[in-house]
Amino acid sequence: MQALYLLALDPVAETLAEPNSYGFRLERSTADAIDQCHRVLSLRASAQWIFEGDIRACFDSLSHDWLVTYIPLDKAILRKWLQAGFMDKHLLSPTETGVPQGGVISPVIMNLALNGLERHITQAFPAFQGHTRTKVHVIRFADDFIVTGSSKAFLEQEVQPLVEQFLAERGLALSREKTRVTHIEEGFDFLGTRVRKYRGKLLCTPAKKNVRSFLDTIRGIVKRHKQALTGNLIMQLNPVMRGWAQYHQHGASKRTFAKVDHQVFTLLWQWARRRHPRKSRHWIRDKYFRAEDGNNWVFFGHVTRPNGTQQDVRLFRASSVPIRRHTKIKGEANPYDPQWEPYFEARLGIRMAHNLRGRRHLIRLWKEQDGRCAVCQQRITHLTGWHSHHRVWRTHGGSDRTENRVLLHPNCHAQVHSQGLTVVKPRPQQGVCKA
């Protein structure tokens, strides 16, 4: 039931959302929030002080009366969800505040409740107050947010009371332990990233707490697989290594990646030595490590495929992930608005070209169309460029699956959207039988 109401509520939330809110929203990510931090803090004249805000128990503390009054949802249904309670060890616990526990609609309700925080602050403190620049910017991801300002006193004495007033109306309060005002040269942690200025240059690196948490996860996996086959251990480690490295690949992370690889190597060396306490170091090196691509210490193993054959696998290295700058989404872009469909298709094409799975989709589409544009039937090359077009727009319920996409020239793609043309997916080429 909540999922059905979410289909109607999410477009409303996107329409009302503020430009620098990034959490629990379609087509937005932590990378967008970090990139916005870089944009507003990297210049020489940028703000030097940051108010780090953290809302205490946001999902559990939202006022039911405020939600019923202001959330554009059926009042009776919403009140039943809010007051339904939750079961824990066969005991029913009432919910007098907060949104549905674990409900699919809860993040959208939370975003609607916090919507207006950025506007509330920027309207109260415009770019100039007299002859002084306030340098106020608000960046929010779910219930974590930062506010930049021209001075520590300004943020503590003027911005913080305004934030507390805004939250109090919704039954919320700031966490005293996690809320602080920090200078940019000291740096602050935001969404697992350390944002800090070094000698006038802003760098976004993996936060130390985030790195420690990641290495603790790796240690836990290695510890739980003391007797596992090498290939099985690698298959458990690789998704974790790859996911963490790709999360941080948009910042200045190369040096941290190298340090993490060294830490993981040390863990695996100890794991191998423990399995063979009477073997020499040379024997252990030859059994578990090999030389590849100029690296003499590649941890490798074997796994059995479903068809019974053996497959070589090697440990994924964080330092193998290239550093690639992220292109932030436009603040006013709305994935439910048809006029933004070409923009999101272009972003999808860029993402596809940057990952192996996406390139496979592009190659498959290109081969299905015999390398020709589905509109003008002319060749698609790197010189002409291309756009991955959704035959049924996502704003009309279309999916990202290959069956719903065709490759078009950029000019043809613009004509399709401007003139409302319908594109027919070409039939795959079939072989000709000879008599």
Side-chain angles (χ1 to χ4, degrees):
M1 179 65 75
Q2 289 187 17
L4 291 175
Y5 276 87
L6 177 62
L7 295 175
L9 185 62
D10 198 38
V12 176
E14 279 293 331
T15 303
L16 299 176
E18 294 172 311
N20 292 305
S21 166
Y22 301 99
F24 301 119
R25 294 181 61 191
L26 289 176
E27 304 293 340
R28 284 164 170 80
S29 65
T30 55
D32 293 305
I34 297 300
D35 187 81
Q36 179 64 12
C37 290
H38 194 278
R39 288 168 180 255
V40 301
L41 294 171
S42 60
L43 300 179
R44 183 176 298 178
S46 297
Q48 300 294 304
W49 293 93
I50 297 91
F51 175 80
E52 303 175 62
D54 184 270
I55 303 173
R56 184 176 63 244
C58 181
F59 281 93
D60 298 328
S61 304
L62 281 168
S63 168
H64 285 182
D65 291 336
W66 191 95
L67 293 175
V68 172
T69 303
Y70 293 101
I71 297 299
L73 201 65
D74 184 275
K75 308 302 181 185
I77 291 292
L78 179 58
R79 190 174 291 278
K80 289 179 181 179
W81 285 343
L82 296 175
Q83 299 177 352
F86 64 93
M87 296 290 294
D88 183 28
K89 297 180 180 179
H90 305 288
L91 294 177
L92 177 64
S93 300
T95 49
E96 298 178 356
T97 59
V99 291
Q101 299 291 325
V104 296
I105 203 170
S106 298
V108 177
I109 292 178
M110 184 273 296
N111 267 338
L112 282 169
L114 296 181
N115 184 42
L117 177 63
E118 179 181 354
R119 183 166 52 252
H120 188 64
I121 295 174
T122 54
Q123 288 180 353
F125 305 108
F128 286 91
Q129 284 188 341
H131 297 287
T132 304
R133 290 188 63 184
T134 58
K135 302 181 181 180
V136 171
H137 296 276
V138 182
I139 304 169
R140 180 173 69 85
F141 190 94
D143 56 345
D144 291 333
F145 64 94
I146 65 167
V147 184
T148 66
S150 56
S151 69
K152 183 176 183 181
F154 168 71
L155 291 174
E156 288 180 340
Q157 299 172 14
E158 299 189 50
V159 172
Q160 183 168 347
L162 196 67
V163 172
E164 292 175 342
Q165 174 193 356
F166 176 89
L167 296 178
E169 296 175 358
R170 293 151 175 80
L172 302 173
L174 291 171
S175 171
R176 296 297 178 185
E177 298 78 16
K178 298 181 181 180
T179 299
R180 61 182 66 88
V181 177
T182 311
H183 195 272
I184 189 61
E185 292 186 356
E186 179 184 348
F188 63 96
D189 290 350
F190 188 53
L191 304 175
T193 300
R194 186 71 174 177
V195 182
R196 182 181 174 186
K197 256 186 180 178
Y198 297 83
R199 299 177 182 177
K201 183 177 181 179
L202 188 78
L203 296 179
C204 300
T205 59
K208 291 183 178 180
K209 290 182 180 179
N210 183 270
V211 175
R212 284 197 297 267
S213 176
F214 166 71
L215 290 175
D216 287 343
T217 301
I218 296 295
R219 292 188 187 97
I221 295 174
V222 174
K223 187 176 181 179
R224 290 194 302 270
H225 293 79
K226 291 180 180 180
Q227 305 302 323
L229 295 175
T230 310
N232 293 339
L233 175 60
I234 292 174
M235 296 300 288
Q236 294 294 320
L237 291 174
N238 278 356
V240 181
M241 294 281 294
R242 183 180 291 105
W244 180 83
Q246 290 178 346
Y247 179 89
H248 290 287
Q249 74 175 122
H250 305 298
S253 309
K254 206 64 179 178
R255 184 176 298 179
T256 305
F257 286 172
K259 292 180 179 179
V260 164
D261 283 338
H262 178 71
Q263 291 286 336
V264 174
F265 165 78
T266 303
L267 285 173
L268 295 175
W269 180 257
Q270 294 172 350
W271 174 85
R273 289 290 302 274
R274 190 182 300 112
R275 289 165 69 97
H276 307 282
R278 298 184 180 181
K279 297 294 184 178
S280 68
R281 296 187 177 188
H282 293 289
W283 186 93
I284 293 174
R285 183 194 63 185
D286 294 339
K287 180 175 178 58
Y288 292 103
F289 298 90
R290 66 186 180 191
E292 282 188 14
D293 301 328
N295 184 359
N296 295 326
W297 294 90
V298 176
F299 190 68
F300 76 100
H302 309 281
V303 293
T304 304
R305 291 180 174 180
N307 59 7
T309 60
Q310 292 287 322
Q311 177 185 2
D312 287 351
V313 292
R314 63 177 181 177
L315 182 70
F316 182 86
R317 293 169 53 246
S319 55
S320 67
V321 175
I323 302 302
R324 182 177 292 119
R325 299 307 173 194
H326 178 74
T327 303
K328 189 182 81 72
I329 190 172
K330 293 183 178 179
E332 64 274 16
N334 186 343
Y336 292 104
D337 189 343
Q339 71 174 352
W340 287 99
E341 186 77 11
Y343 173 75
F344 284 109
E345 285 184 344
R347 287 181 65 86
L348 177 62
I350 294 173
R351 289 201 306 269
M352 288 175 58
H354 284 170
N355 65 80
L356 179 60
R357 184 181 177 187
R359 287 196 291 271
R360 287 173 180 167
H361 281 296
L362 288 174
I363 292 172
R364 179 179 173 184
L365 288 171
W366 190 82
K367 288 183 177 179
E368 282 183 353
Q369 299 174 203
D370 193 28
R372 299 181 182 275
C373 173
V375 173
C376 68
Q377 300 302 315
Q378 299 300 311
R379 301 293 295 181
I380 294 177
T381 66
H382 283 287
L383 293 177
T384 64
W386 64 84
H387 277 293
S388 178
H389 172 70
H390 292 76
R391 295 173 55 242
V392 178
W393 293 6
R394 287 184 296 179
T395 52
H396 298 159
S399 69
D400 283 336
R401 295 176 62 86
T402 307
E403 294 78 8
N404 189 44
R405 298 213 305 268
V406 292
L407 294 181
L408 307 177
H409 288 133
N411 289 339
C412 297
H413 186 242
Q415 292 177 10
V416 167
H417 280 279
S418 63
Q419 301 177 20
L421 303 177
T422 300
V423 180
V424 178
K425 193 174 183 67
R427 293 182 179 180
Q429 296 290 324
Q430 296 180 357
V432 179
C433 297
K434 295 184 178 180

